Amino acid sequence: MNSVIGLPENISNLNRTLIFGVLNVTPDSFSDGGQFLNPESAIAHAKKLVADGADVIDVGGESTRPGAERIAAATELGRVLEIVTEVSKFACVSIDTMRAEVASAAITAGASIINDVSGGLADAEMVFVAAELTVPYICMHWRNHSIDMYENANYQNVVLEVIEELEQRVAVALGAGISPQRLILDPGLGFAKLSEHNWQLIAEIKTLNSLGFPLLVGASRKRFLKELGVDQDAATHALNAYLAANKIWGVRVHDVAGTAAAVKALAEIVDE
C-alpha cells in the first residue's frame, strides 16, 4: 500500500486502509446538512467518529452537493476554524476546501491534510500553498463547480479520461513544489459523473491504484448507491470493504463503524 509522508506517526504507522470520517459543518450538504453547524454538536460528532474507528476527521464548511452554490470565504472560515482547532486536539484533521486561504488558516489551526475536491482548479494558489505548508495534499478529479457539474459528465472512456485529467493535475501539483510523497489522488466519484461512470471507475480501481500515488475514494451515501434501492450505509460499507481488499489507501465515509469493522477485519487476513 502506498505511503504518505507528513502524517501523524500514529496514522502513518497503520498498515491498512485509512478511514476518513466526514464532518460537514454546513447547512446544505446532501446527507447531513445542518446537523453539525453548532460547534458543540460538531465536536461531539467528531469524538463519536473517532470512537467508531475514524483515523482522520475530514472537516468541510462548503457543500459540494450537486447544484450547490458557492459561499463567501469568510463564511467558510467562520464555520470551520473553531472546529478544526478543537478537533485537532484529539484527532488528525483534514480540511475539505477548494480555497487556498481556508486551507492555510486551517493548517495553522491544527489540520494536518488538505483535501481539495477541485484538484487545484478552483483556486490556482492552492497547490503553491500546499507546497509551502509541506502537508499531504489530496487532489480530486473535478471538472466544474457543483452548480452545473452534470453538464460536464460526458466521457468516451471515463477511466482513461479520469486518469489523463488526474495526471495533468499531478503535473501541476509537482510543478508547484508539492512532494510526490505528499500527494494523494481521488477519482471523484459523483463529481461530474453519472452512475455508470462511478461503477466503471470502481470496476477499474486497480488500474487507478497503479498510477503511483495513494488513492482516497469517497462513495459514502452518494446517489449511485441510493439508486440500488438498499440501505446506503450498508452499501457504503460493502463497497469500502471491496476497496480495502484492493489496498486502497483511504476511504471517506459518513457512518464510520461498519466500514471500520470491515477494514480492520480485512487487515487481519489480507497480506499487505
Side-chain angles (χ1 to χ4, degrees), residues 125-202:
E125 291 300 312
M126 179 69 90
V127 289
F128 296 102
V129 166
E132 182 179 354
L133 293 170
T134 62
V135 294
Y137 176 66
I138 300 168
C139 175
M140 197 188 82
H141 177 265
W142 185 88
R143 284 186 164 179
N144 209 339
H145 289 289
S146 297
I147 191 68
D148 55 4
M149 71 164 65
Y150 288 127
E151 294 178 12
N152 296 275
N154 303 303
Y155 303 90
Q156 295 299 313
N157 184 316
V158 66
V159 177
L160 291 181
E161 290 175 57
V162 166
I163 288 173
E164 289 173 0
E165 291 169 29
L166 279 174
E167 287 178 335
Q168 292 169 10
R169 301 315 303 163
V170 166
V172 170
L174 298 181
I178 296 176
S179 165
Q181 288 76 38
R182 298 183 192 273
L183 187 59
I184 302 117
L185 303 183
D186 182 337
L189 299 183
F191 286 80
K193 297 171 187 73
L194 305 179
S195 292
E196 59 264 32
H197 301 139
N198 297 318
W199 289 117
Q200 288 165 24
L201 288 165
I202 291 165

Coordinates of all heavy atoms in Angstrom, one line a residue, residues 125-202:
E125 N -3.9 29.1 -6.5 CA -2.9 29.3 -5.5 C -2.9 28.1 -4.5 O -1.9 27.9 -3.8 CB -3.3 30.5 -4.6 CG -3.1 31.9 -5.4 CD -1.7 32.0 -5.8 OE1 -0.7 31.8 -5.0 OE2 -1.4 32.4 -7.0
M126 N -3.8 27.2 -4.6 CA -3.9 26.1 -3.7 C -2.7 25.2 -3.7 O -2.1 24.9 -2.7 CB -5.1 25.2 -3.9 CG -5.3 24.0 -3.0 SD -5.6 24.5 -1.3 CE -7.4 24.5 -1.4
V127 N -2.2 24.9 -4.9 CA -1.0 24.0 -5.0 C 0.2 24.6 -4.4 O 1.1 23.9 -3.8 CB -0.8 23.5 -6.4 CG1 -1.9 22.5 -6.8 CG2 -0.7 24.6 -7.4
F128 N 0.3 25.9 -4.6 CA 1.5 26.6 -4.0 C 1.4 26.7 -2.5 O 2.5 26.5 -1.8 CB 1.6 28.0 -4.7 CG 1.8 28.0 -6.1 CD1 0.8 28.2 -7.0 CD2 3.1 27.7 -6.7 CE1 1.0 28.2 -8.4 CE2 3.3 27.6 -8.0 CZ 2.3 27.9 -8.9
V129 N 0.3 26.9 -2.0 CA 0.1 26.9 -0.5 C 0.4 25.5 0.1 O 1.0 25.4 1.1 CB -1.4 27.4 -0.2 CG1 -1.7 27.1 1.3 CG2 -1.5 28.9 -0.5
A130 N -0.1 24.5 -0.6 CA 0.1 23.1 -0.1 C 1.6 22.8 -0.1 O 2.1 22.2 0.8 CB -0.7 22.1 -1.0
A131 N 2.3 23.3 -1.2 CA 3.7 23.0 -1.3 C 4.5 23.8 -0.1 O 5.4 23.2 0.5 CB 4.2 23.5 -2.6
E132 N 4.1 25.0 0.1 CA 4.7 25.8 1.1 C 4.5 25.3 2.5 O 5.4 25.3 3.4 CB 4.2 27.3 1.0 CG 4.9 28.2 2.0 CD 4.4 29.6 1.9 OE1 3.6 29.9 1.0 OE2 4.7 30.5 2.7
L133 N 3.3 24.8 2.7 CA 2.9 24.2 4.1 C 3.5 22.8 4.3 O 3.5 22.4 5.4 CB 1.4 24.2 4.2 CG 0.7 25.6 4.3 CD1 -0.8 25.4 4.2 CD2 1.1 26.3 5.5
T134 N 4.0 22.2 3.3 CA 4.5 20.8 3.3 C 3.6 19.9 4.1 O 4.1 19.2 5.0 CB 6.0 20.8 3.9 OG1 5.9 21.3 5.3 CG2 6.9 21.7 3.1
V135 N 2.4 19.8 3.7 CA 1.4 18.9 4.2 C 0.9 18.0 3.1 O 0.9 18.3 1.9 CB 0.2 19.6 4.9 CG1 0.7 20.4 6.1 CG2 -0.5 20.5 3.9
P136 N 0.3 16.8 3.4 CA -0.3 16.0 2.4 C -1.4 16.7 1.7 O -2.2 17.4 2.4 CB -0.8 14.8 3.2 CG 0.1 14.7 4.4 CD 0.4 16.1 4.8
Y137 N -1.5 16.5 0.4 CA -2.5 17.2 -0.4 C -3.3 16.2 -1.2 O -2.7 15.4 -2.0 CB -1.8 18.2 -1.4 CG -2.7 18.9 -2.4 CD1 -3.6 19.8 -1.9 CD2 -2.6 18.6 -3.7 CE1 -4.5 20.4 -2.8 CE2 -3.4 19.3 -4.6 CZ -4.4 20.2 -4.2 OH -5.2 20.8 -5.1
I138 N -4.6 16.2 -1.0 CA -5.5 15.3 -1.7 C -6.0 16.0 -2.9 O -6.7 17.0 -2.8 CB -6.6 14.8 -0.8 CG1 -6.1 14.0 0.4 CG2 -7.6 13.9 -1.6 CD1 -7.1 13.7 1.5
C139 N -5.7 15.5 -4.1 CA -6.1 16.1 -5.4 C -7.2 15.3 -6.1 O -6.9 14.2 -6.5 CB -4.8 16.2 -6.3 SG -5.1 16.8 -7.9
M140 N -8.4 15.8 -6.1 CA -9.5 15.0 -6.7 C -9.7 15.4 -8.1 O -9.5 16.5 -8.6 CB -10.8 15.3 -5.9 CG -11.9 14.3 -6.1 SD -13.4 14.8 -5.3 CE -14.1 15.9 -6.6
H141 N -10.3 14.4 -8.9 CA -10.7 14.6 -10.3 C -12.0 15.5 -10.2 O -12.9 15.2 -9.6 CB -11.0 13.3 -11.0 CG -11.5 13.6 -12.4 ND1 -12.8 13.6 -12.7 CD2 -10.8 13.8 -13.6 CE1 -13.0 13.8 -14.0 NE2 -11.8 14.0 -14.5
W142 N -12.0 16.6 -11.0 CA -13.0 17.6 -10.9 C -13.1 18.3 -12.3 O -12.1 18.5 -12.9 CB -12.7 18.5 -9.8 CG -13.7 19.6 -9.4 CD1 -14.7 19.5 -8.5 CD2 -13.6 21.0 -9.8 NE1 -15.3 20.7 -8.3 CE2 -14.6 21.7 -9.1 CE3 -12.8 21.7 -10.7 CZ2 -14.9 23.0 -9.2 CZ3 -13.1 23.1 -10.8 CH2 -14.1 23.7 -10.1
R143 N -14.3 18.6 -12.7 CA -14.4 19.4 -13.9 C -15.1 20.7 -13.8 O -14.8 21.6 -14.6 CB -15.2 18.5 -15.0 CG -14.4 17.4 -15.6 CD -15.1 16.7 -16.6 NE -14.2 15.9 -17.5 CZ -14.6 15.1 -18.5 NH1 -15.9 15.1 -18.8 NH2 -13.7 14.4 -19.1
N144 N -15.9 20.9 -12.8 CA -16.5 22.2 -12.7 C -17.3 22.3 -11.3 O -17.4 21.3 -10.6 CB -17.5 22.5 -13.8 CG -17.7 24.0 -14.1 OD1 -17.4 24.8 -13.2 ND2 -18.1 24.4 -15.3
H145 N -17.7 23.5 -10.9 CA -18.4 23.6 -9.7 C -19.7 22.9 -9.6 O -20.3 22.6 -10.7 CB -18.6 25.1 -9.4 CG -17.3 25.8 -9.0 ND1 -16.7 25.6 -7.8 CD2 -16.6 26.7 -9.8 CE1 -15.6 26.4 -7.8 NE2 -15.5 27.1 -9.0
S146 N -20.2 22.7 -8.4 CA -21.4 21.8 -8.2 C -22.6 22.3 -8.9 O -23.5 21.5 -9.3 CB -21.7 21.7 -6.7 OG -20.6 21.1 -6.1
I147 N -22.7 23.6 -9.1 CA -24.0 24.2 -9.6 C -24.3 23.6 -11.0 O -25.5 23.5 -11.4 CB -23.9 25.8 -9.7 CG1 -25.2 26.4 -10.0 CG2 -22.8 26.2 -10.7 CD1 -26.2 26.3 -8.9
D148 N -23.3 23.2 -11.8 CA -23.5 22.7 -13.1 C -22.6 21.5 -13.4 O -22.3 21.2 -14.6 CB -23.4 23.7 -14.2 CG -22.0 24.4 -14.2 OD1 -21.2 24.0 -13.4 OD2 -21.8 25.4 -15.0
M149 N -22.3 20.7 -12.4 CA -21.3 19.6 -12.6 C -21.8 18.6 -13.6 O -21.0 18.0 -14.3 CB -21.0 19.0 -11.3 CG -22.1 18.1 -10.6 SD -21.4 17.0 -9.3 CE -20.9 18.1 -8.1
Y150 N -23.1 18.3 -13.6 CA -23.6 17.2 -14.5 C -23.5 17.6 -16.0 O -23.6 16.7 -16.8 CB -24.9 16.7 -14.1 CG -24.9 15.9 -12.8 CD1 -25.7 16.2 -11.7 CD2 -24.0 14.9 -12.6 CE1 -25.6 15.5 -10.5 CE2 -23.9 14.1 -11.4 CZ -24.7 14.5 -10.4 OH -24.6 13.8 -9.2
E151 N -23.4 18.9 -16.3 CA -23.3 19.3 -17.7 C -21.9 18.8 -18.2 O -21.7 18.8 -19.4 CB -23.4 20.8 -17.8 CG -24.8 21.3 -17.4 CD -24.9 22.8 -17.5 OE1 -23.9 23.5 -18.1 OE2 -25.9 23.4 -17.1
N152 N -21.0 18.5 -17.3 CA -19.7 18.0 -17.7 C -19.5 16.5 -17.6 O -18.4 16.0 -17.7 CB -18.6 18.8 -16.8 CG -18.6 20.3 -17.1 OD1 -18.0 20.8 -18.0 ND2 -19.4 21.0 -16.2
A153 N -20.6 15.8 -17.4 CA -20.5 14.3 -17.2 C -20.5 13.7 -18.6 O -21.4 12.8 -18.8 CB -21.6 13.9 -16.3
N154 N -19.6 14.0 -19.4 CA -19.5 13.5 -20.8 C -18.2 12.8 -21.0 O -17.1 13.4 -20.9 CB -19.7 14.6 -21.8 CG -21.0 15.3 -21.6 OD1 -22.1 14.7 -21.7 ND2 -20.9 16.7 -21.4
Y155 N -18.2 11.5 -21.2 CA -17.0 10.7 -21.4 C -17.1 9.7 -22.5 O -18.2 9.1 -22.7 CB -16.7 9.9 -20.1 CG -16.5 10.8 -18.9 CD1 -17.6 11.1 -18.1 CD2 -15.3 11.3 -18.5 CE1 -17.5 11.8 -16.9 CE2 -15.2 12.1 -17.3 CZ -16.3 12.3 -16.5 OH -16.2 13.1 -15.4
Q156 N -16.1 9.5 -23.2 CA -16.0 8.4 -24.2 C -15.5 7.2 -23.5 O -16.0 6.1 -23.7 CB -15.1 8.8 -25.4 CG -15.6 9.9 -26.2 CD -16.9 9.6 -26.9 OE1 -17.1 8.5 -27.4 NE2 -17.8 10.5 -26.8
N157 N -14.5 7.4 -22.6 CA -13.9 6.3 -21.8 C -13.6 6.9 -20.4 O -12.6 7.6 -20.3 CB -12.7 5.7 -22.4 CG -12.2 4.5 -21.6 OD1 -12.1 4.5 -20.4 ND2 -11.8 3.4 -22.3
V158 N -14.5 6.8 -19.5 CA -14.4 7.5 -18.2 C -13.1 7.2 -17.5 O -12.4 8.1 -16.9 CB -15.6 7.3 -17.3 CG1 -15.7 5.9 -16.8 CG2 -15.6 8.3 -16.1
V159 N -12.6 5.9 -17.5 CA -11.4 5.5 -16.8 C -10.2 6.2 -17.4 O -9.4 6.8 -16.7 CB -11.3 4.0 -16.8 CG1 -10.0 3.6 -16.1 CG2 -12.4 3.4 -16.0
L160 N -10.1 6.1 -18.7 CA -8.9 6.7 -19.3 C -8.9 8.3 -19.2 O -7.9 8.9 -19.0 CB -8.9 6.4 -20.8 CG -8.5 4.9 -21.1 CD1 -8.5 4.7 -22.6 CD2 -7.2 4.5 -20.5
E161 N -10.1 8.9 -19.3 CA -10.2 10.3 -19.2 C -9.9 10.8 -17.8 O -9.3 11.9 -17.6 CB -11.5 10.8 -19.7 CG -11.7 10.6 -21.2 CD -13.0 11.0 -21.8 OE1 -13.5 12.1 -21.5 OE2 -13.7 10.1 -22.4
V162 N -10.4 10.1 -16.8 CA -10.1 10.5 -15.4 C -8.6 10.4 -15.2 O -8.0 11.2 -14.5 CB -10.9 9.6 -14.4 CG1 -10.4 9.8 -13.0 CG2 -12.4 10.1 -14.5
I163 N -8.0 9.3 -15.6 CA -6.6 9.1 -15.5 C -5.8 10.3 -16.1 O -4.9 10.9 -15.6 CB -6.1 7.8 -16.0 CG1 -6.6 6.6 -15.1 CG2 -4.6 7.7 -16.2 CD1 -6.3 5.3 -15.6
E164 N -6.2 10.6 -17.4 CA -5.5 11.6 -18.1 C -5.6 13.0 -17.4 O -4.6 13.7 -17.3 CB -6.0 11.7 -19.5 CG -5.6 10.6 -20.4 CD -6.4 10.6 -21.8 OE1 -7.2 11.6 -22.0 OE2 -6.1 9.7 -22.6
E165 N -6.8 13.3 -16.9 CA -7.0 14.6 -16.3 C -6.4 14.6 -14.9 O -5.9 15.7 -14.5 CB -8.5 14.9 -16.2 CG -9.1 15.1 -17.6 CD -10.6 15.2 -17.7 OE1 -11.2 15.5 -16.7 OE2 -11.1 14.8 -18.8
L166 N -6.3 13.5 -14.2 CA -5.6 13.5 -12.9 C -4.1 13.6 -13.1 O -3.4 14.3 -12.4 CB -5.9 12.2 -12.2 CG -7.2 12.1 -11.4 CD1 -7.3 10.7 -10.8 CD2 -7.2 13.1 -10.2
E167 N -3.6 13.0 -14.2 CA -2.2 13.2 -14.5 C -1.8 14.6 -14.8 O -0.7 15.1 -14.5 CB -1.8 12.2 -15.6 CG -1.7 10.8 -15.2 CD -1.4 9.8 -16.3 OE1 -1.7 10.2 -17.5 OE2 -0.9 8.7 -16.1
Q168 N -2.7 15.3 -15.4 CA -2.5 16.8 -15.7 C -2.4 17.5 -14.4 O -1.5 18.4 -14.2 CB -3.6 17.3 -16.6 CG -3.6 16.8 -18.0 CD -4.9 17.2 -18.7 OE1 -5.7 18.0 -18.3 NE2 -5.1 16.6 -19.9
R169 N -3.3 17.2 -13.4 CA -3.3 17.9 -12.2 C -2.0 17.5 -11.3 O -1.5 18.3 -10.6 CB -4.5 17.6 -11.4 CG -5.8 18.0 -12.0 CD -5.8 19.4 -12.7 NE -5.4 20.4 -11.7 CZ -5.0 21.6 -12.0 NH1 -4.8 22.0 -13.3 NH2 -4.7 22.5 -11.1
V170 N -1.6 16.2 -11.5 CA -0.4 15.8 -10.8 C 0.8 16.6 -11.3 O 1.6 17.1 -10.5 CB -0.1 14.3 -11.1 CG1 1.3 13.9 -10.7 CG2 -1.1 13.5 -10.3
A171 N 0.9 16.9 -12.6 CA 2.0 17.7 -13.2 C 2.0 19.1 -12.6 O 3.0 19.6 -12.3 CB 1.9 17.7 -14.7
V172 N 0.8 19.6 -12.5 CA 0.7 21.0 -11.9 C 1.1 21.0 -10.4 O 1.8 21.9 -10.0 CB -0.8 21.5 -12.0 CG1 -1.0 22.8 -11.3 CG2 -1.1 21.7 -13.5
A173 N 0.6 20.0 -9.7 CA 1.0 19.9 -8.3 C 2.5 19.8 -8.1 O 3.1 20.5 -7.2 CB 0.2 18.8 -7.6
L174 N 3.1 18.9 -8.8 CA 4.5 18.6 -8.7 C 5.3 19.9 -9.1 O 6.3 20.2 -8.5 CB 4.9 17.4 -9.5 CG 4.3 16.1 -9.0 CD1 4.9 14.9 -9.9 CD2 4.6 15.8 -7.6
G175 N 4.8 20.5 -10.2 CA 5.4 21.7 -10.7 C 5.4 22.9 -9.7 O 6.3 23.7 -9.7
A176 N 4.4 22.9 -8.8 CA 4.3 23.9 -7.8 C 5.2 23.6 -6.6 O 5.3 24.5 -5.7 CB 2.8 24.0 -7.3
G177 N 5.7 22.4 -6.6 CA 6.6 22.1 -5.5 C 6.1 21.1 -4.5 O 6.8 20.8 -3.5
I178 N 4.9 20.5 -4.7 CA 4.4 19.5 -3.8 C 5.2 18.2 -4.0 O 5.4 17.8 -5.1 CB 2.9 19.2 -4.1 CG1 2.1 20.5 -3.7 CG2 2.4 18.1 -3.2 CD1 0.6 20.4 -4.1
S179 N 5.7 17.7 -2.9 CA 6.5 16.5 -2.9 C 5.6 15.3 -3.4 O 4.4 15.2 -2.9 CB 7.0 16.1 -1.5 OG 7.5 14.8 -1.5
P180 N 6.0 14.4 -4.3 CA 5.2 13.3 -4.7 C 4.9 12.4 -3.5 O 3.8 11.7 -3.6 CB 6.1 12.6 -5.7 CG 7.5 13.1 -5.5 CD 7.3 14.5 -5.0
Q181 N 5.6 12.4 -2.5 CA 5.3 11.6 -1.3 C 4.2 12.2 -0.4 O 3.8 11.6 0.5 CB 6.6 11.4 -0.4 CG 7.6 10.4 -1.0 CD 8.4 11.1 -2.1 OE1 8.8 12.3 -2.1 NE2 8.7 10.3 -3.2
R182 N 3.8 13.4 -0.8 CA 2.7 14.0 0.0 C 1.4 14.1 -0.9 O 0.5 14.7 -0.4 CB 3.1 15.5 0.4 CG 4.3 15.5 1.4 CD 4.6 16.9 1.8 NE 5.9 17.0 2.5 CZ 6.1 16.8 3.8 NH1 5.1 16.5 4.6 NH2 7.3 16.9 4.3
L183 N 1.4 13.5 -2.0 CA 0.3 13.7 -3.0 C -0.6 12.5 -2.9 O -0.1 11.3 -3.1 CB 0.8 14.0 -4.4 CG -0.2 14.3 -5.5 CD1 -1.0 15.6 -5.1 CD2 0.5 14.5 -6.8
I184 N -1.9 12.7 -2.8 CA -2.9 11.6 -2.8 C -3.9 12.0 -3.9 O -4.3 13.2 -4.0 CB -3.6 11.5 -1.4 CG1 -2.6 11.3 -0.3 CG2 -4.7 10.5 -1.5 CD1 -2.5 12.3 0.7
L185 N -4.4 11.0 -4.6 CA -5.4 11.2 -5.7 C -6.7 10.7 -5.3 O -6.8 9.8 -4.5 CB -4.9 10.6 -7.0 CG -3.5 11.0 -7.5 CD1 -3.3 10.3 -8.9 CD2 -3.5 12.5 -7.7
D186 N -7.7 11.3 -5.9 CA -9.1 10.9 -5.6 C -9.9 10.9 -7.0 O -9.9 11.9 -7.7 CB -9.8 11.9 -4.6 CG -11.2 11.5 -4.3 OD1 -11.9 10.8 -5.0 OD2 -11.7 12.0 -3.2
P187 N -10.5 9.7 -7.4 CA -11.2 9.7 -8.7 C -12.4 10.5 -8.7 O -13.0 10.7 -9.8 CB -11.5 8.2 -8.9 CG -11.5 7.7 -7.5 CD -10.5 8.4 -6.7
G188 N -12.9 11.1 -7.6 CA -14.0 12.0 -7.6 C -15.4 11.3 -8.0 O -16.1 11.8 -8.8
L189 N -15.7 10.2 -7.3 CA -17.0 9.6 -7.6 C -18.1 10.6 -7.3 O -18.1 11.3 -6.3 CB -17.1 8.4 -6.6 CG -16.1 7.2 -6.8 CD1 -16.5 6.1 -5.8 CD2 -16.0 6.7 -8.2
G190 N -19.0 10.6 -8.3 CA -20.2 11.5 -8.1 C -20.0 12.9 -8.6 O -20.9 13.6 -8.8
F191 N -18.7 13.3 -8.9 CA -18.5 14.7 -9.3 C -18.3 14.7 -10.8 O -17.4 14.1 -11.4 CB -17.2 15.2 -8.7 CG -17.3 15.6 -7.2 CD1 -17.2 14.6 -6.3 CD2 -17.5 16.9 -6.9 CE1 -17.3 14.9 -4.9 CE2 -17.6 17.2 -5.5 CZ -17.5 16.3 -4.6
A192 N -19.3 15.3 -11.5 CA -19.4 15.3 -13.0 C -19.3 13.9 -13.5 O -18.7 13.6 -14.5 CB -18.3 16.1 -13.6
K193 N -20.0 13.0 -12.8 CA -20.1 11.6 -13.2 C -21.5 11.0 -13.0 O -22.1 11.2 -11.9 CB -19.0 10.7 -12.4 CG -17.6 11.2 -12.7 CD -16.6 10.5 -11.8 CE -15.2 11.1 -12.1 NZ -15.1 12.5 -11.5
L194 N -22.0 10.3 -13.9 CA -23.3 9.6 -13.8 C -23.0 8.2 -13.1 O -21.9 7.8 -12.9 CB -23.9 9.4 -15.2 CG -24.1 10.7 -16.0 CD1 -24.8 10.4 -17.3 CD2 -25.0 11.7 -15.2
S195 N -24.1 7.6 -12.7 CA -23.9 6.3 -12.0 C -23.0 5.3 -12.8 O -22.2 4.7 -12.2 CB -25.3 5.7 -11.8 OG -26.0 6.4 -10.8
E196 N -23.3 5.2 -14.1 CA -22.4 4.2 -14.8 C -21.0 4.6 -14.8 O -20.1 3.7 -14.8 CB -22.9 4.1 -16.3 CG -22.9 5.4 -17.1 CD -24.3 6.1 -17.1 OE1 -25.0 6.0 -16.1 OE2 -24.6 6.8 -18.1
H197 N -20.7 5.9 -14.8 CA -19.3 6.3 -14.7 C -18.6 5.9 -13.3 O -17.5 5.4 -13.3 CB -19.2 7.8 -14.9 CG -19.7 8.3 -16.2 ND1 -20.4 9.4 -16.3 CD2 -19.6 7.8 -17.4 CE1 -20.8 9.6 -17.5 NE2 -20.3 8.6 -18.2
N198 N -19.4 6.0 -12.3 CA -18.9 5.7 -11.0 C -18.6 4.2 -10.9 O -17.6 3.8 -10.4 CB -19.9 6.1 -9.9 CG -20.1 7.6 -9.8 OD1 -19.2 8.3 -9.9 ND2 -21.4 8.0 -9.6
W199 N -19.5 3.4 -11.4 CA -19.3 1.9 -11.3 C -18.2 1.5 -12.2 O -17.4 0.6 -11.9 CB -20.6 1.2 -11.7 CG -21.7 1.3 -10.7 CD1 -22.9 1.9 -10.8 CD2 -21.6 0.8 -9.3 NE1 -23.6 1.8 -9.7 CE2 -22.9 1.1 -8.7 CE3 -20.7 0.1 -8.6 CZ2 -23.2 0.8 -7.4 CZ3 -21.0 -0.2 -7.3 CH2 -22.2 0.1 -6.7
Q200 N -18.0 2.1 -13.3 CA -16.9 1.8 -14.2 C -15.5 2.1 -13.5 O -14.6 1.4 -13.6 CB -17.0 2.6 -15.5 CG -18.1 2.0 -16.4 CD -18.4 3.0 -17.6 OE1 -17.6 3.8 -18.0 NE2 -19.6 2.9 -18.1
L201 N -15.5 3.3 -12.8 CA -14.3 3.6 -12.1 C -14.0 2.6 -11.0 O -12.8 2.2 -10.7 CB -14.4 5.0 -11.5 CG -14.3 6.2 -12.6 CD1 -14.8 7.5 -12.0 CD2 -12.9 6.3 -13.1
I202 N -15.0 2.2 -10.3 CA -14.8 1.2 -9.2 C -14.4 -0.1 -9.8 O -13.5 -0.8 -9.2 CB -16.1 1.1 -8.4 CG1 -16.4 2.3 -7.6 CG2 -16.0 -0.1 -7.4 CD1 -17.8 2.4 -7.1

